[in-house]
Amino acid sequence: LVLGLYFSNVLGYNEWKESNKAIAIATAFQNTEVADALNGIDDWTTSVEQNDEGLWTVYFLNGDTTVAQVQVDMSAEEVVDYTIGD
């Protein structure tokens, strides 16, 4: 009788999501234009959303103002589109 299975090297959903958010932010920040747009802004923050197509959208914010919006393809870990400013 098997009561349950445990896989020690498999991330839980919340850990997986937080890990992917961090990867999406790092990938988006590697874009030169995005990094340049954030240059000189000391208190920028991020917001990250996942869509149904495997893309993650990273919003770089300065207060309520969107400094940059970046679409990241997580399967390839690459930027597929970005917008600077609102």
Side-chain angles (χ1 to χ4, degrees):
L1 176 65
V2 176
L3 298 175
L5 297 174
Y6 175 74
F7 301 98
S8 62
N9 59 345
V10 176
L11 295 177
Y13 176 76
N14 289 336
E15 293 167 315
W16 170 84
K17 190 169 184 178
E18 290 305 312
S19 175
N20 275 314
K21 282 182 180 181
I23 292 168
I25 292 167
T27 302
F29 190 74
Q30 291 176 5
N31 180 288
T32 305
E33 289 84 1
V34 172
D36 287 347
L38 294 169
N39 189 26
I41 302 173
D42 294 329
D43 57 350
W44 58 267
T45 60
T46 58
S47 175
V48 183
E49 297 175 354
Q50 177 187 13
N51 72 22
D52 294 334
E53 299 170 2
L55 298 177
W56 292 62
T57 304
V58 180
Y59 300 92
F60 291 93
L61 307 166
N62 183 16
D64 293 333
T65 303
T66 301
V67 178
Q69 177 180 332
V70 184
Q71 293 277 320
V72 177
D73 178 348
M74 290 301 291
S75 63
E77 291 186 23
E78 67 181 13
V79 171
V80 293
D81 193 22
Y82 67 93
T83 304
I84 305 298
D86 284 328

